[in-house]
Amino acid sequence: MLSSLSLAVALLATTAAASCSSKGSKKPNFIFIMTDDQDMLMNSLSYQPAVQKHFADKGTWFKKHFCTVSQCCPSRVSLLTGKAAHNTNVTDVMPPYGGYPKFVSQGLNDNYLPIWLQQAGYNTYYTGKLINSHSVTTYNNPFPKGWNGSDFLIDPGTYVYYNSCMTRNNEPYAWHPGQYSTDLIASKAVGFLEDAIAAKDRPFFLGVAPIGPHGEVLVSDNTPYFLDPVPADRHKDLFPGVKVPRTPNFNPDTPGTASYLKSAPRLSQKEIEYGDEYYRKRLQALQAVDDLVDSIVTRLEADPDVLANTYLIYTADNGYHISQHRLPPGKTCNIEEDINIPFFIRGPGVAKGAVQTFPTSHTDIVPTLFTLAGIPLHDDFDGEPIPVTHKMMARSKPKSEHVNVEFWGTTLKEGNIYNSTSFLNNTFKHVRVIGDGYDLAFAVWCTMDHELYDMTADPYQMTNLYGTSGRIAEWSIPKLTARLNGLLLTLKACKGQVCTRPWKKLHPQDNVKNLRQAMNARYDDFYEEQQHRVTFSECALGQILAYEGALEPIPYGAGGKRAARWEDWT
Ligand SMILES: *[C@@H]1O[C@H](CO)[C@@H](O)[C@H](O)[C@H]1NC(C)=O
Ligand SMILES: *[C@@H]1O[C@H](CO)[C@@H](O)[C@H](O)[C@H]1NC(C)=O
Ligand SMILES: *[C@@H]1O[C@H](CO)[C@@H](O)[C@H](O)[C@H]1NC(C)=O
Ligand SMILES: *[C@@H]1O[C@H](CO)[C@@H](O)[C@H](O)[C@H]1NC(C)=O
């Protein structure tokens, strides 16, 4: 529905973007807005008119965008480094397996996005939550590197909506009683935007990470309590009667088929109503986020030249579930609600009002920003540039068709009534494959449960087809499962280009580029008989390789049979 005028504008904008990377002209600016725990599949975006107006209408919505680990800290670290969690080994929100101290001890404070952007000539600014366990005791030990201006929310005040604890430009921290967290972040973001625009000689990156719609977290005796989100007073009565969408996977009759999902009891009426209330509070908390979006874009619109050279991204660190598959409020699972999340981009050369459905992930974001800024990609990036502009789309090879998702640990039941209890054994490897004529989810759990969903026929993941003898598309399920096992085995320890081109590792001749080609009958024996299986020998809380079975796939043509066959595929 492009008018010829807006088409002309889009073409002009593409030309402007092209000239940015040429020598001497200014690189584009970036404004990166990331919410905390925002779902896409429970429809939160349809309650955000400013996101609709400034992002859906003015940019492109990547509807099959995934986080690669569905929890705040590991997801943010993967996003800010372009590396999978198995390569950062920041896999939790607190030590020993994660949190800010682990980010530092892994050397990542010297090797992440803002440092690289400064080296490329950028001024960098950030306000809001950076990483969990960035706290009153760790914030200065050492300070996060790479920021020209920063104003971070830190623990134990990160998630206290009306009493944030913040540290500005590495100064001693201060509490902000009575001020609403998201509004505070909005005003700091606009302040940094003023600084960034005033420093005309260098392009800028501005990261804005409000806590909405995350639940409030209060710490008592060193124990965090996960309570309901707190909306701004002006929004607290909105959406009366609105409920979590009653999708087929909402508190279903039948339990799940993997790990703790098998024995999760059906939610009681009281729990369902509680989940609906929690859902409304999330939508209310998102209204201040929507105001934040509006204030940033409005400020930018006052400088049309700056706006014309700025890419804006709106996304979340991970998704969220409430009552799907009988789960109380929370994230960290492999279900689609937790991993398929909002991602919009707008800016020079990006199609307006467009929707894309090829798979993209958080590890792709740094490579995408690098490409837009004309910075050479690092060999150890585990993602690849998303073709976001007309120009990149025309130039790039097709994007890879898979996203690898991983997790180690437990899963928390959030909200007042659950009092911070958990389900155990939430360690798994998961792959989503979205190609021409297929849309699949395959997982192997530390309990050695397996899941296989045909996401075309069963988007709500109600029927686990693993171990059945039927068909998906035209393929026999056992033969398909064998290929997905080979793919997951390759991805679970991949580094760099193997993560984006895994079939080349399996088929070094490079004559197999996707699942469909791997389904060729000539590879049946290779995948079904010769290849290692993805296995675990224990449910660990972190990435302990000794429990994770084979780490490298056998390449096609290497010959030989597996020593032991531990199961049939039928
Ligand atoms: C931002 O930091 C970089 C790296 O230290 C520096 O080169 C640049 O001059 C700083 N920009 C401003 C506006 O101070
Ligand atoms: C939550 O658990 C803590 C620690 O076990 C306990 O002190 C507190 O009373 C509990 N709160 C509720 C609301 O059950
Ligand atoms: C966790 O998984 C182990 C197998 O690794 C199993 O023995 C144990 O019962 C499981 N625990 C729970 C709480 O599901
Ligand atoms: C990840 O970190 C944990 C905790 O320090 C450590 O035990 C584990 O060996 C590390 N795993 C890898 C693959 O480096």
Side-chain angles (χ1 to χ4, degrees):
M1 293 235 305
L2 277 177
S3 70
S4 56
L5 177 62
S6 59
L7 185 62
V9 170
L11 287 173
L12 272 175
T14 315
T15 320
S19 65
C20 286
S21 50
S22 67
K23 227 176 161 188
S25 59
K26 204 176 165 195
K27 292 179 185 297
N29 309 306
F30 299 112
I31 298 180
F32 180 81
I33 303 172
M34 179 166 65
T35 56
D36 204 327
D37 284 359
Q38 183 174 0
D39 66 278
M40 186 175 83
L41 296 179
M42 294 189 295
N43 295 340
S44 65
L45 291 166
S46 49
Y47 295 86
Q48 290 185 281
V51 170
Q52 295 300 329
K53 176 178 163 198
H54 297 306
F55 283 91
D57 296 351
K58 300 271 173 54
T60 299
W61 182 3
F62 288 83
K63 262 195 158 163
K64 292 288 179 188
H65 186 81
F66 295 85
C67 57
T68 53
V69 49
S70 53
Q71 190 179 30
C72 311
C73 174
S75 179
R76 285 159 190 252
V77 172
S78 282
L79 196 159
L80 289 166
T81 59
K83 293 189 183 78
H86 65 254
N87 288 331
T88 66
N89 202 22
V90 177
T91 61
D92 196 2
V93 291
M94 57 183 155
Y97 299 114
Y100 181 65
K102 180 76 169 168
F103 169 79
V104 170
S105 68
Q106 292 292 107
L108 299 170
N109 194 28
D110 300 297
N111 206 12
Y112 74 130
L113 181 65
I115 305 244
W116 302 326
L117 288 177
Q118 280 187 339
Q119 286 165 355
Y122 277 75
N123 288 330
T124 56
Y125 308 87
Y126 194 97
T127 184
K129 172 181 156 192
L130 183 64
I131 305 177
N132 304 64
S133 304
H134 185 209
S135 73
V136 295
T137 54
T138 63
Y139 79 101
N140 55 359
N141 182 26
F143 295 114
K145 294 188 185 165
W147 302 108
N148 287 85
S150 64
D151 211 330
F152 299 118
L153 288 164
I154 56 172
D155 293 346
T158 307
Y159 298 110
V160 187
Y161 276 93
Y162 270 107
N163 193 10
S164 308
C165 184
M166 299 194 74
T167 167
R168 183 173 179 85
N169 293 334
N170 301 338
E171 285 159 15
Y173 56 85
W175 293 81
H176 298 270
Q179 284 180 278
Y180 188 66
S181 176
T182 306
D183 295 343
L184 205 52
I185 302 306
S187 73
K188 288 170 189 290
V190 172
F192 281 136
L193 186 53
E194 300 287 354
D195 297 348
I197 292 172
K200 281 190 169 51
D201 54 323
R202 287 163 72 95
F204 66 83
F205 173 93
L206 168 62
V208 184
I211 56 167
H214 196 286
E216 174 142 297
V217 182
L218 295 179
V219 179
S220 157
D221 278 346
N222 279 324
T223 309
Y225 291 95
F226 283 73
L227 311 174
D228 299 354
V230 178
D233 281 341
R234 64 186 183 280
H235 298 133
K236 69 180 170 36
D237 298 321
L238 292 176
F239 314 124
V242 168
K243 293 178 176 174
V244 177
R246 290 335 194 224
T247 46
N249 60 5
F250 182 90
N251 198 28
D253 297 347
T254 46
T257 52
S259 195
Y260 54 87
L261 293 157
K262 292 196 267 198
S263 52
R266 229 177 159 195
L267 301 170
S268 65
Q269 191 54 35
K270 179 170 161 250
E271 288 175 291
I272 291 173
E273 284 166 17
Y274 173 70
D276 287 334
E277 187 185 322
Y278 194 99
Y279 179 70
R280 283 190 293 277
K281 288 181 178 167
R282 284 170 54 84
L283 298 180
Q284 292 160 359
L286 276 169
Q287 300 313 298
V289 173
D290 220 41
D291 293 345
L292 171 152
V293 167
D294 203 48
S295 58
I296 290 173
V297 177
T298 301
R299 173 61 194 86
L300 202 55
E301 283 169 347
D303 266 290
D305 290 350
V306 180
L307 176 63
N309 194 30
T310 301
Y311 290 96
L312 292 101
I313 286 176
Y314 183 89
T315 189
D317 51 1
N318 50 259
Y320 209 75
H321 58 252
I322 300 174
S323 304
Q324 294 81 19
H325 305 284
R326 305 181 171 187
L327 292 167
K331 61 251 183 186
T332 74
C333 303
N334 68 339
I335 60 174
E336 202 71 350
E337 286 77 3
D338 288 11
I339 64 176
N340 182 198
I341 58 176
F343 184 75
F344 296 91
I345 183 166
R346 60 173 278 187
V350 178
K352 294 182 182 170
V355 170
Q356 290 290 355
T357 55
F358 55 81
T360 59
S361 83
H362 269 8
T363 48
D364 296 331
I365 292 177
V366 167
T368 306
L369 301 186
F370 268 43
T371 303
L372 291 170
I375 309 171
L377 300 183
H378 297 181
D379 287 340
D380 63 352
F381 286 158
D382 298 330
E384 63 185 316
I386 303 169
V388 292
T389 59
H390 299 296
K391 197 169 180 212
M392 286 168 82
M393 290 203 188
R395 194 171 46 197
S396 69
K397 290 175 283 185
K399 183 89 176 43
S400 57
E401 58 172 10
H402 62 272
V403 173
N404 181 216
V405 180
E406 46 198 355
F407 204 85
W408 298 260
T410 59
T411 180
L412 187 68
K413 304 174 197 177
E414 298 182 9
N416 299 354
I417 68 169
Y418 296 103
N419 204 11
S420 301
T421 51
S422 295
F423 290 115
L424 306 178
N425 289 354
N426 191 47
T427 295
F428 55 77
K429 312 281 180 198
H430 183 91
V431 66
R432 289 283 283 106
V433 189
I434 304 173
D436 185 12
Y438 45 93
D439 185 352
L440 305 163
F442 176 67
V444 180
W445 289 72
C446 62
T447 50
M448 288 309 292
D449 293 306
H450 293 71
E451 291 176 287
L452 170 63
Y453 298 102
D454 177 355
M455 301 298 289
T456 310
D458 181 23
Y460 297 102
Q461 301 174 301
M462 296 300 292
T463 307
N464 182 359
L465 295 171
Y466 177 82
T468 64
S469 57
R471 290 184 169 266
I472 295 180
E474 68 269 37
W475 301 322
S476 107
I477 286 174
K479 290 186 188 303
L480 174 62
T481 306
R483 270 61 171 193
L484 293 171
N485 169 77
L487 177 62
L488 188 57
L489 182 69
T490 310
L491 292 172
K492 72 178 203 151
C494 68
K495 286 187 168 43
Q497 284 190 9
V498 174
C499 301
T500 53
R501 298 289 177 262
W503 299 109
K504 191 173 177 189
K505 173 103 178 175
L506 285 157
H507 296 268
Q509 306 83 346
D510 202 19
N511 56 345
V512 171
K513 315 261 188 206
N514 56 38
L515 177 64
R516 183 173 295 283
Q517 291 171 358
M519 287 303 299
N520 192 306
R522 91 167 76 124
Y523 306 123
D524 283 355
D525 188 65
F526 169 61
Y527 283 106
E528 293 172 59
E529 301 295 333
Q530 296 174 31
Q531 194 52 270
H532 296 300
R533 304 297 187 243
V534 176
T535 64
F536 289 90
S537 51
E538 200 159 303
C539 283
L541 295 174
Q543 188 189 190
I544 313 297
L545 295 181
Y547 301 144
E548 298 200 1
L551 297 171
E552 288 281 316
I554 296 170
Y556 180 72
K561 294 254 175 199
R562 275 186 302 120
R565 169 192 179 113
W566 63 262
E567 74 171 17
D568 286 319
W569 290 106
T570 47

